[in-house]
Each structure stands twice: as structure tokens, then as C-alpha cells.
Amino acid sequence: NPVMHLVIEDESGVILSPEQIAITIDGQPLAPDKIFIPDSVRKSNILGITLYPELEVGQHDLKVQAKDVNGNLAEKQYDLLVSDEFDVHVFGNYPNPFTDQTIFAYYVSPDVLDEFEIRIYTVSGRLIRVITEDINTINQPHGARASGYNELIWDGTDEEGNEVANGVYFALIRAKYQGEVKETILKVAKLK
């Protein structure tokens, strides 16, 4: 039961009428009560739509069709995957290279992790920092282990709080759930 947000944009303007927007999942129209289209928008060239589909575990095909104010039809197709298996999808870190801090973005499914950490290593393999929480996650019920979309910040310092030198570092993102471990390695560059 995800909540999905679509943004439709066109220079000449987007038609707000639900009849001019077609949304299908696996070739079937999404029920009108599962689609929220605002009655009015601030800018006529951008329209935000919220979807509330009910999806079974497996692969799904989402297709969106919309018309601009001139009647031109545009279509976009998306592949969706609903999984009930443990997974941590790491989107990467940004900015990269960074000067003061970098944010690691990741998605956890289906449940709260047992353990989560980001280990920062030098290119020679020396561990300089272990991050398990930050200012944004410290007061959250499950912190950086929460299911769904998460972000964790590295402020460019080592375990003692000293700023690290310019250069390339490796981030080992490690997640554990019910005895299973998933790891991802990212290359991170610091420039001042």
C-alpha cells in the first residue's frame, strides 16, 4: 500500500482534468478513489498527483498519460517491484565530492533493521569512522534502521571529531535483518 507522488510538467501548461490523465497499473486503470489530483495549482505548468495503489508482491508496470493545454499527449512508463524480502537499496551519497558533509540515501524494506551502520575507510583500508545515527535520526524511534526511505549524514570527521584530509574514502554500508547481512561499498571524495 505505497503512497506514490507523480509530478507532471509542461512548458505550455498541464490540463488538470482527471479525464485527461490516464494512470494504469499492469494494464488496468487505477480506481479514481486511489488518485488525488488537486483542483487548482499555483503554476499551471506543474501538476502534482498522489496515488494510493494496492499492489501484490512482484513486478508491476505503471503507465501515466497526460495532455498539455494544447492537447499533446505524453506517456511515461515505470517498472515497479514490490518485495517482502529483506533489501537495502543504496541510492548513493550527495554531494560527491563534498566539502563539509555528505548525505547517504537508502531505502529499507520490508521492516525495521536489526543493525545498520556506515563504516568510513581510507584508501589504505584503515577504519576512521563508524556512523549509526546523526542529528536527524537520533530522536527517531528506529533511527537509521527504520523501514522506508532514510538519509544519514557524514560530516567529514573521524572518530575523534577531527576533520579528515582531502581525498578518496570508501563507505561500507552494512545492514543486518534476521541474521542476513547486506553490504554495499561506495567511493566518497572529500574536497575543500
Side-chain angles (χ1 to χ4, degrees):
N1 298 310
V3 176
M4 304 169 84
H5 302 283
L6 298 174
V7 177
I8 299 173
E9 186 173 2
D10 189 278
E11 289 178 7
S12 57
V14 179
I15 297 179
L16 296 179
S17 172
E19 296 80 31
Q20 300 299 318
I21 299 168
I23 300 171
T24 61
I25 295 182
D26 300 329
Q28 300 297 315
L30 190 59
D33 66 332
K34 301 291 183 187
I35 304 170
F36 174 74
I37 300 174
D39 295 333
S40 62
V41 292
R42 286 188 205 170
K43 296 180 178 181
S44 65
N45 64 331
I46 298 177
L47 173 64
I49 299 174
T50 305
L51 309 177
Y52 303 93
E54 295 175 11
L55 302 171
E56 298 291 325
V57 172
Q59 296 272 358
H60 297 279
D61 174 58
L62 170 68
K63 189 189 310 186
V64 180
Q65 293 178 325
K67 290 184 180 179
D68 67 9
V69 293
N70 298 316
N72 298 315
L73 180 68
E75 178 178 298
K76 185 76 175 174
Q77 194 162 332
Y78 302 91
D79 294 322
L80 307 176
L81 174 63
V82 177
S83 175
D84 60 355
E85 295 180 16
F86 164 49
D87 192 22
V88 176
H89 181 82
V90 178
F91 297 109
N93 65 297
Y94 61 92
N96 191 16
F98 74 99
T99 54
D100 299 320
Q101 70 177 23
T102 189
I103 300 170
F104 294 91
Y106 57 97
Y107 188 90
V108 174
S109 68
D111 204 358
V112 176
L113 298 172
D114 298 326
E115 296 174 18
F116 182 83
E117 65 184 11
I118 299 174
R119 296 176 177 217
I120 308 295
Y121 292 91
T122 64
V123 289
S124 65
R126 185 171 59 93
L127 177 64
I128 59 167
R129 178 81 185 268
V130 177
I131 306 164
T132 57
E133 59 186 27
D134 66 14
I135 193 167
N136 298 314
T137 63
I138 198 164
N139 294 320
Q140 299 299 321
H142 302 291
R145 300 177 300 115
S147 64
Y149 179 81
N150 294 282
E151 292 181 346
L152 204 54
I153 298 170
W154 177 37
D155 62 3
T157 62
D158 62 16
E159 285 296 340
E160 286 79 43
N162 300 316
E163 186 175 344
V164 299
N166 288 346
V168 174
Y169 296 86
F170 291 99
L172 172 66
I173 295 138
R174 186 178 185 277
K176 185 175 182 182
Y177 178 71
Q178 296 181 348
E180 188 177 350
V181 175
K182 301 245 180 184
E183 294 181 339
T184 303
I185 297 174
L186 297 177
K187 191 185 297 186
V188 182
K190 182 172 187 305
L191 297 175
K192 198 76 169 179

